[in-house]
């Protein structure tokens, strides 16, 4: 399946714990260093697709300040797909870095690493 | 739960969410509103807050995706209908494009004078762009197809707007519809979640084949001098738009008799309606000019008979809308 960057980041946001809609938006922004800021309509488009493919599922519902919060969690299938996609991206990145080194350009550290 | 008093921003966001289908809102509206308000923070009504354009655009895009391919067989059928309308519309425009290019090449080869205003390169540009857009979408290159189709539609609309006054009055609205509907259907129907399909090369042939009858008629040794009017009436039925109308009517009859899917019926009904709108100005009775409006009236009559049963049965056979639980895994 084609995993877009927002889908990849939303799956990653759910690895450590279930999150509600705005929690996913915040975590995606944090994970991407502020580069990806999901709009609410886009978020639910992503969640629809992930839920439709069985990669995330409803964890629980809560009422917070009188409003509905639905928490979503990663399924086993979601974890497997995320692992496969991460491996694919890592292989691509390794190939790019290897060729850049061969060209004589110093490889830049990835964002978020020191 | 006790719902908090809605603030102005909430009311405005809920108004935007009405773009979404009612079944989707029944499941998602409350959590979308909650997430949106959490993201927006406390904004007093005195400031007259509105959802940002980006938020509204994301809701509009979600509405298109949900209606044309979201969860449920009904949305999938509507999505397929819109994609078929895009393909049929682009096939038609590609046919006109091939026809225009062939005739211009033939005129140039025969050194025929060009009637009317000085020749402009824009019709050729539009013809080529429509053909490229059709080939691209049929071969699965939907991104380039969208860009090319938007360019083709823009050039065509500019040409329609620059046409002579009488043409602008009668033929401009249906021509503008013909140029814009396939592009809009392409943009709406071929979204990221739409199934990617690469269609076989042989399906690119109909636009070329539809041009052959008019070329063959021109080359045939016909007695134009002695039977000008009957031959003129006959030749008008060999033009690409007449062939498209006949093909649409025949396909419609086959769809009804063989029980084609509702999406195919609805798409043929939509394409037939566009062709009917296109031919209708030509079918206006003008005394003494029966050879011009007579064939057009016959084609309009055939389309008018086929379209209603296609639309009614297509709509009736659509799968029922289902209540969705989008948060749960399948």
């Amino acid at each position: 399946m084609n995993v877009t960057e927002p889908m990849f980041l939303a799956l990653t946001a759910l690895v450590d714990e279930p999150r509600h809609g705005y929690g996913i938006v915040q975590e995606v922004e944090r994970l991407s260093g502020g580069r990806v800021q999901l709009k609410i309509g886009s978020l639910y488009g992503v969640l629809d697709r992930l839920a439709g493919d069985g990669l995330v599922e409803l964890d629980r519902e809560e009422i917070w300040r009188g409003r509905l919060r639905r928490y979503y969690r990663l399924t086993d299938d979601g974890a497997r797909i995320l692992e496969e996609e991460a491996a694919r991206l890592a292989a691509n990145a390794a190939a790019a870095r290897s060729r850049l080194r061969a060209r004589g350009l110093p490889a830049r550290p990835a964002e978020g690493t020191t | 739960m006790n719902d908090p008093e809605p603030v102005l921003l909430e009311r405005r966001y809920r108004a935007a969410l009405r773009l979404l289908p009612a079944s989707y809102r029944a499941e998602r509206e409350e959590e979308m509103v909650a997430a949106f308000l959490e993201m927006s923070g406390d904004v007093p009504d005195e400031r007259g807050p509105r959802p940002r354009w980006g938020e509204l655009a994301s809701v509009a895009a979600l509405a298109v995706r949900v209606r044309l391919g979201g969860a449920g067989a009904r949305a999938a059928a509507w999505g397929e209908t819109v994609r078929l309308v895009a393909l049929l519309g682009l096939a038609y425009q590609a046919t006109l494009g091939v026809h225009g290019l062939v005739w211009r090449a033939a005129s140039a080869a025969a050194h025929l004078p060009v009637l009317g205003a000085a020749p402009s390169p824009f019709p050729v540009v539009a013809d080529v762009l429509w053909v490229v857009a059709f080939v691209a979408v049929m071969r699965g290159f939907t991104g380039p197809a969208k860009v090319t189709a938007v360019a083709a539609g823009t050039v065509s609309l500019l040409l329609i707007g620059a046409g002579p006054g009488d043409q602008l009055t009668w033929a401009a609205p249906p021509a503008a519809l013909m140029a814009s509907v396939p592009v809009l259907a392409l943009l709406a129907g071929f979204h990221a979640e739409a199934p990617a399909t690469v269609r076989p090369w042989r399906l690119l042939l109909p636009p070329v084949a539809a041009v052959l009858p008019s070329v063959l008629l021109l080359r045939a040794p016909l007695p134009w001098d002695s039977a000008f009017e009957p031959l003129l009436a006959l030749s008008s039925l060999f033009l690409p738009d007449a062939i498209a109308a006949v093909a649409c009517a025949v396909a419609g009859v086959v769809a009804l008799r063989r029980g084609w899917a509702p999406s195919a019926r609805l798409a043929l009904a939509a394409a037939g309606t566009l062709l009917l709108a296109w031919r209708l100005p030509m079918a206006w009775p003008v005394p003494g000019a029966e050879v011009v409006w007579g064939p057009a009236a016959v084609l309009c009559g055939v389309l008018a008979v086929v379209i209603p049963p296609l639309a009614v049965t297509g709509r009736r056979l659509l799968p029922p809308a289902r209540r969705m639980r989008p948060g749960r895994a399948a």
Side-chain angles (χ1 to χ4, degrees), chain A residues 91-111:
Chain A
N92 286 349
R97 283 166 176 267
S98 161
R99 294 201 172 193
L100 284 170
R101 275 195 300 273
R103 188 185 158 102
L105 294 175
R108 224 173 51 161
E111 280 182 33

Short mmCIF file of all heavy atoms in Angstrom, two decimals, chain A residues 91-111:
data_model
loop_
_atom_site.label_atom_id
_atom_site.label_comp_id
_atom_site.label_asym_id
_atom_site.label_seq_id
_atom_site.Cartn_x
_atom_site.Cartn_y
_atom_site.Cartn_z
N ALA A 91 16.40 2.36 3.93
CA ALA A 91 17.22 1.83 2.84
C ALA A 91 17.44 2.90 1.77
O ALA A 91 18.56 3.07 1.26
CB ALA A 91 16.54 0.60 2.24
N ASN A 92 16.37 3.64 1.46
CA ASN A 92 16.51 4.72 0.48
C ASN A 92 17.48 5.78 0.97
O ASN A 92 18.32 6.28 0.21
CB ASN A 92 15.14 5.38 0.22
CG ASN A 92 14.25 4.50 -0.62
OD1 ASN A 92 14.70 3.50 -1.18
ND2 ASN A 92 12.98 4.86 -0.72
N ALA A 93 17.33 6.15 2.26
CA ALA A 93 18.20 7.18 2.82
C ALA A 93 19.66 6.71 2.82
O ALA A 93 20.58 7.48 2.51
CB ALA A 93 17.75 7.53 4.23
N ALA A 94 19.87 5.43 3.16
CA ALA A 94 21.24 4.88 3.20
C ALA A 94 21.85 4.93 1.81
O ALA A 94 23.04 5.27 1.64
CB ALA A 94 21.21 3.46 3.75
N ALA A 95 21.06 4.57 0.80
CA ALA A 95 21.57 4.57 -0.57
C ALA A 95 21.94 6.00 -0.99
O ALA A 95 23.00 6.22 -1.61
CB ALA A 95 20.51 4.00 -1.52
N ALA A 96 21.09 6.96 -0.64
CA ALA A 96 21.36 8.35 -1.01
C ALA A 96 22.63 8.85 -0.33
O ALA A 96 23.49 9.48 -0.95
CB ALA A 96 20.17 9.22 -0.63
N ARG A 97 22.77 8.52 0.98
CA ARG A 97 23.94 8.98 1.73
C ARG A 97 25.22 8.35 1.18
O ARG A 97 26.25 9.02 1.08
CB ARG A 97 23.79 8.63 3.21
CG ARG A 97 22.84 9.55 3.93
CD ARG A 97 22.44 9.01 5.28
NE ARG A 97 21.60 9.98 5.95
CZ ARG A 97 22.06 10.91 6.77
NH1 ARG A 97 23.33 10.98 7.06
NH2 ARG A 97 21.23 11.78 7.32
N SER A 98 25.10 7.08 0.84
CA SER A 98 26.28 6.39 0.32
C SER A 98 26.76 7.05 -0.98
O SER A 98 27.94 7.30 -1.17
CB SER A 98 25.90 4.92 0.08
OG SER A 98 26.81 4.34 -0.80
N ARG A 99 25.83 7.39 -1.85
CA ARG A 99 26.21 8.01 -3.13
C ARG A 99 26.72 9.44 -2.92
O ARG A 99 27.60 9.90 -3.63
CB ARG A 99 25.02 8.01 -4.07
CG ARG A 99 24.65 6.59 -4.45
CD ARG A 99 23.87 6.51 -5.70
NE ARG A 99 23.73 5.11 -6.09
CZ ARG A 99 23.30 4.72 -7.27
NH1 ARG A 99 22.96 5.60 -8.17
NH2 ARG A 99 23.19 3.44 -7.55
N LEU A 100 26.13 10.14 -1.94
CA LEU A 100 26.61 11.50 -1.66
C LEU A 100 28.04 11.46 -1.13
O LEU A 100 28.87 12.31 -1.46
CB LEU A 100 25.68 12.18 -0.65
CG LEU A 100 24.34 12.65 -1.22
CD1 LEU A 100 23.39 13.09 -0.10
CD2 LEU A 100 24.55 13.81 -2.20
N ARG A 101 28.33 10.46 -0.28
CA ARG A 101 29.70 10.32 0.23
C ARG A 101 30.66 10.03 -0.91
O ARG A 101 31.76 10.58 -0.99
CB ARG A 101 29.77 9.21 1.28
CG ARG A 101 29.40 9.67 2.69
CD ARG A 101 29.84 8.67 3.75
NE ARG A 101 29.21 7.36 3.56
CZ ARG A 101 28.03 7.05 4.05
NH1 ARG A 101 27.34 7.93 4.76
NH2 ARG A 101 27.52 5.85 3.85
N ALA A 102 30.22 9.16 -1.84
CA ALA A 102 31.07 8.82 -2.98
C ALA A 102 31.34 10.05 -3.84
O ALA A 102 32.37 10.17 -4.49
CB ALA A 102 30.39 7.73 -3.81
N ARG A 103 30.39 10.98 -3.84
CA ARG A 103 30.53 12.20 -4.63
C ARG A 103 31.41 13.22 -3.92
O ARG A 103 31.79 14.24 -4.47
CB ARG A 103 29.13 12.77 -4.86
CG ARG A 103 29.01 13.91 -5.80
CD ARG A 103 27.56 14.41 -5.78
NE ARG A 103 27.47 15.76 -6.24
CZ ARG A 103 27.05 16.11 -7.46
NH1 ARG A 103 26.70 15.17 -8.29
NH2 ARG A 103 27.00 17.37 -7.82
N GLY A 104 31.69 12.95 -2.62
CA GLY A 104 32.55 13.84 -1.87
C GLY A 104 31.80 14.84 -1.01
O GLY A 104 32.39 15.72 -0.41
N LEU A 105 30.44 14.73 -0.97
CA LEU A 105 29.67 15.64 -0.13
C LEU A 105 29.51 15.05 1.26
O LEU A 105 29.19 13.86 1.39
CB LEU A 105 28.28 15.87 -0.73
CG LEU A 105 28.24 16.60 -2.06
CD1 LEU A 105 26.82 16.65 -2.58
CD2 LEU A 105 28.78 18.02 -1.89
N PRO A 106 29.75 15.84 2.31
CA PRO A 106 29.55 15.30 3.66
C PRO A 106 28.06 15.06 3.92
O PRO A 106 27.23 15.90 3.58
CB PRO A 106 30.09 16.41 4.57
CG PRO A 106 29.98 17.65 3.75
CD PRO A 106 30.13 17.25 2.31
N ALA A 107 27.72 13.90 4.47
CA ALA A 107 26.33 13.59 4.77
C ALA A 107 25.87 14.43 5.95
O ALA A 107 26.56 14.51 6.97
CB ALA A 107 26.19 12.11 5.09
N ARG A 108 24.71 15.08 5.81
CA ARG A 108 24.16 15.91 6.88
C ARG A 108 23.44 15.02 7.88
O ARG A 108 22.76 14.08 7.46
CB ARG A 108 23.17 16.91 6.28
CG ARG A 108 23.32 18.29 6.83
CD ARG A 108 22.43 19.24 6.07
NE ARG A 108 21.05 18.78 6.00
CZ ARG A 108 20.03 19.57 5.73
NH1 ARG A 108 20.24 20.83 5.50
NH2 ARG A 108 18.81 19.10 5.66
N PRO A 109 23.58 15.29 9.19
CA PRO A 109 22.81 14.47 10.13
C PRO A 109 21.32 14.68 9.92
O PRO A 109 20.88 15.77 9.53
CB PRO A 109 23.25 14.99 11.51
CG PRO A 109 23.88 16.30 11.27
CD PRO A 109 24.39 16.31 9.86
N ALA A 110 20.53 13.62 10.16
CA ALA A 110 19.09 13.71 9.97
C ALA A 110 18.51 14.70 10.97
O ALA A 110 19.05 14.92 12.05
CB ALA A 110 18.44 12.34 10.17
N GLU A 111 17.36 15.32 10.60
CA GLU A 111 16.70 16.27 11.49
C GLU A 111 16.29 15.57 12.78
O GLU A 111 15.82 14.45 12.75
CB GLU A 111 15.45 16.84 10.81
CG GLU A 111 15.76 17.93 9.83
CD GLU A 111 14.49 18.50 9.22
OE1 GLU A 111 13.47 18.54 9.91
OE2 GLU A 111 14.54 18.89 8.05
#
